């Protein structure tokens, strides 16, 4: 009875493993590489399965032999040890045969690799830049560029709200690409090394400051493809997903047109917004959004910071950290007697625009607009128990750039 | 076969201080071996606690127990502690105990240096572990220490670099000592091709250590000057190259992984013949396979960097050279299998761990082969698949071998047997839980979960929970090991000199426990 139960369970497990290996497993217990959405990703999948099966066959041979010895050649069963201990023929055989098998694996692998390396003749170029901790996408010939940031609310991350189906794999602005076009990616990074990885395209490319890493893809069908940064890059490493929306060429063209129109109106609106005088409430409301999307990862949603690493925004909190950081904070007037204070507005703007070299505080100047920076500074100076009443106008930020 | 000395003969030079000073001042290979092994065990638990904290955080999606920065520190420190604190000192401890006894020498060739190479380690790790209490926290850029990220480390940074330097100096001195002992102090009748496999593998490992530890020291020194002295070796903005660090690091790093497995190969090659009651199959091919693995280990480093954007020729070269390593590795596995084949096997605890090693290490070899296929590695790289790979080779490989070796030689060291029933319990608990822990990681990686993340998308929940359960099971099972060793040392049954029916080799001709100075006159090897 028990034995048959165990047998059944074993068979079930084996079936699950085999099913998993053929890619039909339940999504929540995904066990195998996705087949992906490009010709290359299919080739990679086939390579992967080929090597797995070769390993399974060799494994059955070797583990089978061990198993037989363990079962049959035991002393307790009266086995008497043979004394053979050498055979040049056998050694030569089990050197040559694996070598030949390896050559058999290397040939198709090289073919796929050569195909993957051919980045010439592309239809579209997208520049991808990794930041701590978001992606920036730039379509140079279309004149479109934007940041793509995690859109999962902090509440979900801290278990204060139920998690969405696409928890940690959702962004505010996905990368949009056309299908059936050869797309060339130029991948680089702004601060530390990241890696741009979309399993459905079988692309994992390190994004390295000072390097332009070229890879390509050609997507076969419309859809949403998700991935994430694959190279440890600091605190937000788990929180910089990649979402790609693949569209038919016609839809893609439409999207490009919309974006261009959008960018044009946005530019006009931005100029107007910078020129305009904002009220404190407007700035604070906008500033909260900017803060939550960009600053909360380190300085925390409550502005409390992380001891020793990320300074609090809330004045009055004690803080001590590495010498470089302490020196900067003190010089800028943000630290007195071991406690955070609200330093002068001028230095606040400068710190946000230029960052703190040698620490994880990036320069936000290139990433955020004047309105964003003005509003986030206003927010910081009037939230978390800070009551400076200061209002920073976008025009001041513009002047400080 | 050989002449063993009696305890009395050794006794007259057996004057040593007692108490703590004995351990601080000792130059005796057995004392130092014990120090290394105890240190390694402590580090195993220190690193193990970090691992359990990591697994606890990963039991569920969301941030539960810690800030991601601390999580990253745990990942980094776990790697450094296990590699440099647990596995490497574990093997050096075994070398200290066994090599003089196995080559028929009284002690190591350079006993004072031996003392110093050990005593650097507690200081190195005190420095390293103290960084947890520093401003900015412990290093959090991964054990691979890639710039520019690692340059964002706070006050801990110079401590990290200095700790790595100390570990490196310790390893190089240990290696020099081992080479000197093996080459100069062998019994005159023991030719190189009569040396036990454990001695052979350590000889080759020691050369690897001398070759690559200075390379690591150079790499971290360049990091140090980049951070504090205005150089730009790795800083793109200053004309440097962040990828240069990776080349230097992995030129050290790949031989390093073989440093952690070759002595294990040696151990397994001692244990399997003993309990198969049959000589090792293909001794000379084992020696050549070890040597060729050591050579190949210097020309495969690029396989850790397939995704940096190397030229096609580089990718192809590193793919082929990496696949080649599978050949001598396969020869080893086949030879162990052939040794068991038609033997007369018994399954005492060392043998159980050795057989598990062969099977589970081979699984790690298979995933290694898969990782060598560059287009597929673009999918596996930096995922849990890699985590599964290196834990199969390092935990069920290196660590299982060390545990097997301790069970195997403990009766010789203490003169007492361990409790066989408890040993078997330890084996089965470890082997079952270790697979519950690491096997699902293959699936997680293939399904797309990157390594070194404190929080993950919902589809990874199931296997993460399984892995965490395995981790706690495996971790707690190791407490049993401590108890077994403690009990054996204090109240085990008396061991015979030969201990194991099928044991051959000089160490078994000595009395149990082995005398303080191993062989004062050189034994004869047949
Ligand atoms: C058949 C033999 C082996 C092959 C072909 C092989 C291949 C590889 C490859 C290609 C990688 C890089 C994967 C990636 O990052 O994408 C890798 C990683 C690794 N391997 Fe192996 N390997 C083998 C045996 C071993 C052994 C014996 C050890 C150690 C005892 C080992 C330890 C490691 C470690 C620690 C890493 C990961 C390092 C890191 O990124 O932190 N491997 N292996
Ligand atoms: Cu390697």
């Amino acid at each position: 009875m028990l034995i048959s139960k165990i047998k059944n369970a074993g068979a079930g497990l084996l079936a699950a493993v085999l099913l998993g290996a053929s890619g039909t497993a339940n999504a929540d217990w995904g066990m195998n590489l996705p087949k992906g959405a490009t010709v290359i990703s299919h080739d990679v999948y086939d390579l992967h399965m080929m090597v797995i099966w070769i390993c399974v066959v060799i494994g059955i041979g070797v583990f089978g032999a061990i198993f037989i010895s363990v079962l049959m050649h035991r002393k307790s069963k009266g086995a008497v040890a043979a004394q053979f201990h050498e055979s040049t023929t056998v050694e030569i055989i089990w050197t040559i045969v694996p070598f030949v098998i390896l050559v058999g694996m290397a040939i198709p692998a090289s073919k796929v690799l050569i195909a993957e390396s051919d980045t010439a003749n592309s239809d579209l170029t997208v520049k991808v830049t990794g930041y701590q901790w978001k992606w920036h996408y730039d379509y140079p010939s279309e004149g479109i560029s934007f940041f793509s940031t995690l859109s999962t609310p902090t509440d979900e991350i801290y278990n204060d709200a139920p998690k969405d189906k696409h928890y940690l794999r959702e962004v505010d602005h996905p990368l949009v690409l056309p299908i059936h076009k050869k797309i060339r990616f130029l991948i680089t990074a702004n601060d530390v090394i990241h890696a741009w990885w979309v399993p459905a395209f079988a692309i994992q490319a390190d994004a390295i400051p000072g390097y332009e890493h070229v890879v390509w893809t050609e997507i076969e069908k419309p859809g949403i493809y998700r991935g994430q940064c694959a190279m440890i890059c600091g605190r937000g490493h788990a929180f910089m997903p990649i979402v790609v929306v693949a569209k038919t060429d016609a839809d893609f063209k439409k999207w490009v047109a919309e974006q261009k129109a959008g960018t044009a109106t946005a530019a006009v609106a931005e100029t107007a917004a910078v020129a305009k005088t904002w009220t404190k409430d407007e700035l604070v409301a906008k500033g909260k959004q900017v803060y939550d999307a960009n600053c909360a990862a380190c300085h925390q949603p409550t502005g409390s910071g992380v001891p020793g690493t990320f300074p609090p925004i809330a004045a009055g909190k004690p803080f001590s950290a590495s010498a470089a950081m302490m020196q900067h904070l003190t010089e800028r007037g943000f630290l007195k007697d071991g406690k955070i204070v609200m330093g002068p507005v001028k230095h606040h703007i400068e710190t946000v625009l230029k960052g703190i070299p040698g620490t994880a505080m990036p320069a936000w100047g290139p990433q955020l607009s004047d309105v964003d920076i003005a509003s986030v500074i206003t927010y910081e100076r009037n939230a978390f128990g800070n009551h400076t009443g200061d209002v920073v106008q976008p025009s001041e930020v513009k002047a400080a750039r | 076969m050989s002449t063993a000395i009696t305890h009395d003969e050794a006794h007259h030079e057996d004057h040593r201080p007692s108490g703590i000073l004995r351990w601080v001042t000792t130059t005796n290979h057995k004392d130092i071996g014990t120090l290394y092994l105890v240190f390694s065990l402590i580090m195993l638990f220190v690193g193990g606690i970090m691992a359990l904290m990591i697994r606890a955080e990963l039991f569920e999606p969301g941030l539960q127990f810690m800030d991601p920065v601390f999580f990253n520190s745990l990942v980094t420190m776990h790697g450094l502690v296990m590699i440099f604190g647990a596995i490497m000192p574990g093997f050096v401890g075994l070398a200290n105990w066994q090599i003089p006894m196995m080559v028929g020498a009284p002690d190591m060739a350079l006993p004072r240096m031996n003392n110093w190479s050990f005593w650097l380690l507690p200081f190195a790790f005190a420095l390293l572990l103290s960084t947890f209490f520093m401003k900015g926290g412990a290093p959090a850029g991964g054990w691979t220490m890639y710039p520019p990220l690692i340059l964002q480390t706070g006050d801990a940074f110079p401590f990290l670099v200095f700790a790595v330097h100390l570990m490196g100096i310790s390893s190089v001195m240990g290696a020099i000592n081992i080479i000197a002992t093996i080459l100069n102090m062998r019994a005159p009748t023991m030719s190189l091709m009569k040396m036990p496999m454990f001695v052979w593998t350590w000889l080759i490992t020691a050369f690897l250590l001398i070759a690559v530890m200075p390379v690591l020291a150079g790499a971290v020194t360049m990091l140090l000057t980049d951070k504090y002295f205005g150089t730009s070796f790795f800083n793109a903005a200053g004309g440097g190259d962040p990828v240069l660090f990776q080349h230097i690091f992995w030129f050290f790093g790949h031989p390093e992984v073989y440093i952690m497995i070759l002595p294990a190969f040696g151990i397994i090659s001692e244990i399997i013949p003993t309990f198969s009651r049959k000589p090792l199959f293909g001794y000379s091919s084992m020696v050549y396979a070890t040597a060729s693995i050591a050579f190949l280990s210097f020309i495969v480093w690029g396989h850790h960097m397939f995704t940096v954007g190397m030229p096609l020729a580089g990718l192809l070269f590193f793919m082929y050279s990496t696949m080649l390593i599978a050949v001598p590795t396969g020869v080893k596995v086949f030879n162990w299998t052939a040794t068991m084949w038609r033997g007369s096997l018994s399954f005492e605890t060392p043998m159980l761990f050795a057989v598990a090693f062969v099977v589970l290490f081979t699984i790690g070899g298979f995933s290694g082969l898969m990782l060598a296929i560059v287009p597929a590695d673009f999918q596996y790289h930096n995922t849990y698949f890699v985590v599964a790979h290196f834990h199969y080779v390092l935990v069920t490989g290196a660590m299982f071998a060390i545990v097997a070796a301790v069970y195997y030689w403990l009766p010789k060291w203490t003169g007492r047997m361990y409790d066989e029933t408890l040993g078997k319990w330890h084996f089965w608990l470890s082997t079952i839980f270790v697979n519950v822990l690491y096997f699902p990681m293959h699936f997680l990686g293939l399904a797309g979960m990157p390594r070194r993340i404190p929080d993950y998308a919902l589809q990874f929940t199931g296997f993460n929970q399984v892995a965490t359960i395995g981790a706690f099971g495996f971790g707690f099972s190791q407490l049993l090991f401590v108890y077994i060793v403690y009990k054996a040392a204090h109240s085990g049954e008396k061991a015979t000199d030969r201990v194991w029916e099928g044991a051959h080799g000089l160490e078994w001709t000595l009395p149990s426990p082995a005398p303080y100075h191993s062989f004062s006159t050189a034994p004869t090897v047949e």
Side-chain angles (χ1 to χ4, degrees):
Chain A
M1 208 23 227
L2 185 66
I3 297 216
S4 78
K5 257 193 192 155
I6 294 177
K7 265 192 191 153
N8 282 340
L13 202 69
L14 190 69
V17 171
L18 292 179
L19 275 180
S22 57
T24 52
N26 178 324
D28 284 341
W29 291 84
M31 307 178 120
N32 202 3
L33 272 190
K35 283 208 175 96
T38 66
V39 175
I40 294 283
S41 76
H42 298 325
D43 290 347
V44 169
Y45 177 84
D46 292 342
L47 273 179
H48 161 78
M49 291 315 293
M50 172 191 76
V51 186
I52 285 200
W53 286 118
I54 292 176
C55 291
V56 167
V57 172
I58 301 174
I60 290 175
V62 175
F63 300 157
I66 294 176
F67 199 64
I68 292 174
S69 294
V70 166
L71 275 190
M72 321 273 285
H73 307 154
R74 356 172 122 225
K75 191 180 175 220
S76 58
K77 287 205 166 164
V80 179
Q83 287 302 315
F84 65 86
H85 60 88
E86 223 163 22
S87 162
T88 313
T89 330
V90 171
E91 300 284 356
I92 289 176
I93 291 174
W94 65 40
T95 307
I96 303 281
V97 172
F99 184 80
V100 173
I101 297 175
L102 289 176
V103 173
M105 286 161 49
I107 291 169
S110 307
K111 280 192 187 141
V112 178
L113 192 56
I114 289 166
E116 282 184 288
S117 308
D118 175 18
T119 52
N121 303 322
S122 60
D123 304 312
L124 173 71
T125 297
V126 178
K127 189 167 179 209
V128 180
T129 311
Y131 283 73
Q132 280 177 316
W133 294 280
K134 57 171 76 75
W135 294 99
H136 182 262
Y137 299 115
D138 184 12
Y139 304 65
S141 39
E142 283 70 22
I144 302 173
S145 76
F146 53 88
F147 280 97
S148 181
T149 312
L150 177 74
S151 62
T152 302
T154 346
D155 281 355
E156 290 185 24
I157 296 174
Y158 286 96
N159 308 310
D160 296 329
K163 296 184 179 20
D164 185 80
K165 193 164 123 227
H166 295 300
Y167 178 69
L168 297 190
R169 289 268 173 114
E170 46 193 357
V171 296
D172 53 358
H173 303 294
L175 174 65
V176 178
L177 296 174
I179 58 168
H180 297 312
K181 295 271 174 203
K182 184 163 185 178
I183 302 158
R184 193 169 64 123
F185 298 103
L186 308 178
I187 297 180
T188 186
N190 180 56
D191 34 46
V192 301
I193 301 175
H194 304 267
W196 197 77
W197 180 35
V198 180
F201 306 162
I203 293 181
Q204 184 181 147
D206 290 2
I208 304 171
Y211 271 74
E212 200 156 74
H213 187 169
V214 189
V215 291
W216 69 273
T217 195
E218 188 172 328
I219 309 166
E220 288 182 321
K221 45 183 191 287
I224 300 182
Y225 303 103
R226 295 169 202 271
Q228 67 187 94
C229 177
M231 171 65 83
I232 188 170
C233 56
R235 186 183 189 280
H237 171 45
F239 308 105
M240 47 185 295
I242 298 156
V243 179
V244 180
V245 177
K247 295 181 188 255
T248 58
D249 197 36
D251 285 352
F252 177 72
K253 292 221 169 79
K254 240 195 304 185
W255 177 81
V256 169
E258 278 165 22
Q259 292 301 304
K260 279 191 177 158
T263 324
T265 35
V268 175
E270 172 77 13
T271 324
V274 173
K276 151 184 162 181
T277 307
W278 291 57
T279 68
K280 187 172 145 206
D281 289 347
E282 283 173 332
L283 287 167
V284 168
K286 168 116 185 118
K288 179 167 167 40
Q289 289 170 8
V290 178
Y291 182 88
D292 287 347
N294 298 287
C295 321
C298 297
H299 298 289
Q300 303 300 303
T302 56
S304 60
V306 174
T309 319
F310 303 123
I313 305 296
K317 294 251 178 196
F319 183 67
S320 102
S322 68
M325 175 108 65
M326 296 300 269
Q327 191 192 346
H328 182 95
L329 291 175
T330 315
E331 277 174 6
R332 301 281 142 120
F334 282 89
L335 193 78
K336 244 203 189 104
D337 306 327
K339 293 214 171 84
I340 294 291
V341 289
M342 272 299 119
V345 171
K346 188 175 144 228
H347 289 163
H348 201 151
I349 296 178
E350 195 180 334
T351 303
V352 176
L353 275 179
K354 310 230 163 93
I356 307 182
T359 74
M361 174 71 181
W364 294 95
Q367 302 187 39
L368 298 177
S369 70
D370 296 338
V371 175
D372 287 344
I373 293 179
S375 56
V376 82
I377 293 175
T378 307
Y379 174 68
E380 288 186 335
R381 300 182 76 84
N382 293 286
F384 318 124
N386 300 335
H387 300 293
T388 59
D390 294 336
V391 174
V392 178
Q393 292 297 341
S395 51
E396 293 173 56
V397 176
K398 188 170 180 191
R401 273 189 194 262
Chain B
M1 179 178 159
S2 61
T3 43
I5 46 158
T6 66
H7 200 74
D8 280 342
E9 273 172 351
H11 204 76
H12 62 272
E13 19 177 332
D14 192 3
H15 41 72
R16 44 184 150 156
S18 55
I20 184 83
L21 260 192
R22 162 180 170 196
W23 298 104
V24 175
T25 60
T26 184
T27 54
N28 177 273
H29 75 102
K30 298 194 178 71
D31 285 351
I32 294 173
T34 305
L35 286 171
Y36 266 111
L37 287 171
V38 170
F39 180 80
S40 152
L41 188 66
I42 294 171
M43 286 299 137
L44 182 72
F45 279 93
V46 171
I49 288 167
M50 295 176 194
L52 292 187
M53 290 163 76
I54 292 170
R55 285 308 327 165
E57 177 60 52
L58 291 175
F59 186 69
E60 276 177 339
L63 295 177
Q64 273 74 239
F65 304 115
M66 57 189 79
D67 187 83
V69 174
F70 183 65
F71 181 92
N72 290 349
S73 293
L74 285 178
V75 172
T76 307
M77 297 287 277
H78 165 75
L80 291 168
V81 166
M82 287 303 198
I83 290 172
F84 295 102
I87 302 290
M88 293 171 68
F91 282 128
V92 180
L94 293 170
N96 262 290
W97 258 101
Q98 289 308 125
I99 288 178
M101 292 204 283
M102 294 172 93
V103 301
D107 203 312
M108 295 292 281
L110 309 161
R112 278 167 208 271
M113 192 165 90
N114 205 9
N115 171 292
W116 197 29
S117 23
F118 171 77
W119 278 107
L120 283 177
L121 283 182
F123 293 96
F125 281 86
L127 282 181
L128 187 66
L129 293 171
S130 69
T131 60
F132 270 116
F133 307 100
M134 288 178 189
K135 291 169 190 167
W143 81 279
T144 47
M145 302 179 281
Y146 283 6
L149 181 63
I150 198 71
L151 299 173
Q152 293 182 354
T153 309
D155 290 354
F157 189 74
F159 291 83
L160 167 70
V161 171
F162 195 46
V164 170
H165 279 148
L166 288 182
M167 297 166 198
I169 296 170
S170 159
S171 294
V172 169
M173 289 195 303
I176 291 173
N177 209 346
I178 286 167
I179 294 175
T181 309
I182 296 174
L183 295 186
N184 296 324
M185 309 215 7
R186 289 198 316 281
T189 45
M190 181 179 276
S191 64
L192 283 177
M193 288 310 272
K194 276 187 189 165
M195 290 196 315
M197 271 315 290
F198 180 67
V199 179
W200 252 119
T201 53
W202 242 120
L203 179 65
I204 292 171
T205 304
F207 279 105
L208 289 184
L209 275 170
I210 293 179
V212 300
M213 291 311 288
V215 177
L216 175 66
V220 296
T221 307
M222 287 153 92
L223 285 177
L224 189 81
T225 62
D226 266 12
K227 178 137 171 130
Y228 294 112
F229 304 108
T231 58
S232 292
F233 290 113
F234 309 130
N235 173 4
D241 180 353
V243 175
L244 173 66
F245 177 85
Q246 301 184 20
H247 281 292
I248 304 174
F249 182 86
W250 288 114
F251 185 81
F252 144 81
H254 191 82
E256 167 68 17
V257 308
Y258 279 95
I259 287 166
M260 294 188 284
I261 204 67
L262 294 185
F265 289 169
I267 290 164
I268 302 305
S269 304
E270 300 294 329
I271 293 177
I272 287 188
T274 297
F275 296 94
S276 303
R277 294 167 180 79
K278 200 165 150 261
L280 181 67
F281 187 84
Y283 171 90
S284 41
S285 76
M286 285 301 228
V287 173
Y288 300 136
T290 312
S292 42
I293 290 175
F295 168 75
L296 286 173
S297 77
F298 285 106
I299 56 165
V300 299
W301 78 90
H303 68 217
H304 295 273
M305 303 167 57
F306 285 149
T307 60
V308 300
M310 252 186 264
L312 178 63
L315 292 173
L316 289 173
F317 172 79
F318 285 119
M319 172 162 77
Y320 300 150
S321 60
T322 303
M323 292 174 81
L324 262 190
I325 286 209
V327 174
T329 312
V331 167
K332 297 233 152 212
V333 173
F334 299 143
N335 281 340
W336 291 320
T337 309
T339 307
M340 284 193 269
W341 189 254
R342 293 186 44 218
S344 169
L345 279 62
S346 59
F347 296 95
E348 289 84 347
T349 309
M351 180 65 165
L352 287 175
F353 274 102
V355 176
F357 171 100
V358 177
V359 173
L360 299 175
F361 172 78
T362 303
I363 291 179
F366 286 148
S367 54
L369 187 59
M370 294 172 69
L371 290 164
I373 309 290
V374 180
D377 183 71
F378 292 156
Q379 296 282 50
Y380 310 142
H381 181 63
N382 267 329
T383 70
Y384 263 84
F385 191 82
V386 175
V387 178
H389 160 68
F390 65 72
H391 284 94
Y392 267 89
V393 287
L394 286 173
V395 177
T396 58
M399 182 191 153
F400 267 36
I402 294 173
V403 170
V406 169
Y407 281 112
Y408 184 55
W409 282 310
L410 190 69
K412 178 57 61 192
W413 303 338
T414 63
R416 292 172 188 278
M417 293 301 288
Y418 62 87
D419 183 328
E420 192 62 64
T421 316
L422 286 182
K424 293 210 160 96
W425 269 99
H426 175 223
F427 167 76
W428 283 109
L429 287 172
S430 299
T431 303
I432 291 169
F433 279 122
V434 88
N435 285 290
V436 175
L437 165 56
Y438 295 121
F439 209 80
M441 292 187 183
H442 292 112
F443 305 142
L444 283 173
L446 295 178
M449 179 166 164
R451 65 195 278 208
R452 296 164 165 168
I453 53 173
D455 193 3
Y456 50 81
L458 302 184
Q459 66 266 32
F460 307 128
T461 313
F463 285 122
N464 269 300
Q465 300 193 329
V466 176
T468 297
I469 293 169
F472 278 84
F474 182 70
F476 284 103
S477 307
Q478 302 322 306
L479 294 174
L480 187 56
F481 179 55
V482 180
Y483 173 71
I484 295 169
V485 171
Y486 176 83
K487 187 170 161 227
H490 288 263
S491 56
E493 275 174 47
K494 286 251 169 296
T496 59
D497 290 354
R498 187 160 292 278
V499 183
W500 313 109
E501 183 190 26
H504 294 278
L506 293 178
E507 73 266 40
W508 308 109
T509 63
L510 290 168
S512 299
Y516 200 57
H517 297 279
S518 297
F519 288 93
S520 47
T521 42
T524 327
V525 186
E526 71 200 45

